[in-house]
Amino acid sequence: MRLAGITGQGKGATDRLLAAVADRLTQDGIRLLGTLRPTAADAGSGQCNSDLLLLPDGPLMRITQDLGSGSGACRMDAGAFEEAVGMVVARVRADQADLVILNKFGLSEAEGRGFRAVIAEALGRDVPVLTGLSDTHRAAFERFAEGTETILQPKEDAILAWCRSVVANDTTLRGDA
């Protein structure tokens, strides 16, 4: 299985887990593409900002729009989000990645947009994909994957083992090892 999803327990847990995994894999020399969502120190401030860090080394892109101090709503900036998706797709096409990590298979993906294009491009190039996954969108993820997905335990060692296994398999098949 070349597509895996994880669901962390608690607010920001999946983001922290994916960041830790990406850090360890980078230290191992594994070439990563994709996105991470940095967890902000002021997460409890009531602000609704969301940024994506494009792997491997930026940029950091704001994907929400400021609706002003009187707004209580969070608003995705669809243009900024799709720009980030386009940049990641272009990187997958241009670069030799060992693994794609995506912060989330969420509402956009459940509706057929967003990172689905990245996932399809990566898998079409035989590059495995690891994505964050909420319980809310798990059924849509499973329909999208059509039985080709693995749901990993939200434990760093289990995720690292899966990542290293699929990457080792790829390098052996390509003759890199």
Side-chain angles (χ1 to χ4, degrees):
M1 303 282 180
R2 304 179 56 70
L3 175 61
I6 62 157
T7 304
Q9 302 300 313
K11 186 170 179 68
T14 301
D15 295 319
R16 288 187 298 277
L17 190 53
L18 287 173
V21 166
D23 185 54
R24 294 268 304 271
L25 294 173
T26 299
Q27 290 174 24
D28 289 352
I30 294 174
R31 300 168 298 175
L32 302 177
L33 292 176
T35 59
L36 293 175
R37 185 170 174 263
T39 54
D42 66 346
S45 70
Q47 293 298 317
C48 209
N49 295 329
S50 185
D51 298 319
L52 290 179
L53 174 66
L54 277 58
L55 297 173
D57 52 14
L60 183 67
M61 298 182 70
R62 171 80 24 107
I63 60 166
T64 51
Q65 54 189 325
D66 184 0
L67 298 178
S69 61
S71 175
C74 293
R75 293 295 303 210
M76 176 68 71
D77 182 338
F81 179 63
E82 290 304 323
E83 180 181 357
V85 169
M87 289 175 71
V88 176
V89 167
R91 288 179 181 188
V92 170
R93 288 179 180 154
D95 293 337
Q96 193 62 252
D98 297 317
L99 178 70
V100 170
I101 296 179
L102 299 169
N103 65 296
K104 182 168 73 169
F105 185 99
L107 179 61
S108 291
E109 293 74 24
E111 293 178 343
R113 300 182 317 275
F115 290 129
R116 283 174 79 136
V118 175
I119 295 168
E121 187 68 34
L123 294 176
R125 294 175 178 276
D126 291 325
V127 178
V129 178
L130 170 65
T131 186
L133 179 63
S134 71
D135 289 332
T136 304
H137 302 296
R138 178 175 275 192
F141 176 73
E142 291 171 350
R143 281 191 303 276
F144 168 73
E146 297 179 334
T148 65
E149 79 283 357
T150 299
I151 303 298
L152 301 171
Q153 292 296 313
K155 296 179 175 43
E156 188 173 331
D157 289 341
I159 298 164
L160 285 166
W162 180 85
C163 292
R164 290 172 177 146
S165 171
V166 295
V167 167
N169 235 4
D170 285 350
T171 56
T172 301
L173 291 174
R174 285 193 312 253
D176 295 350

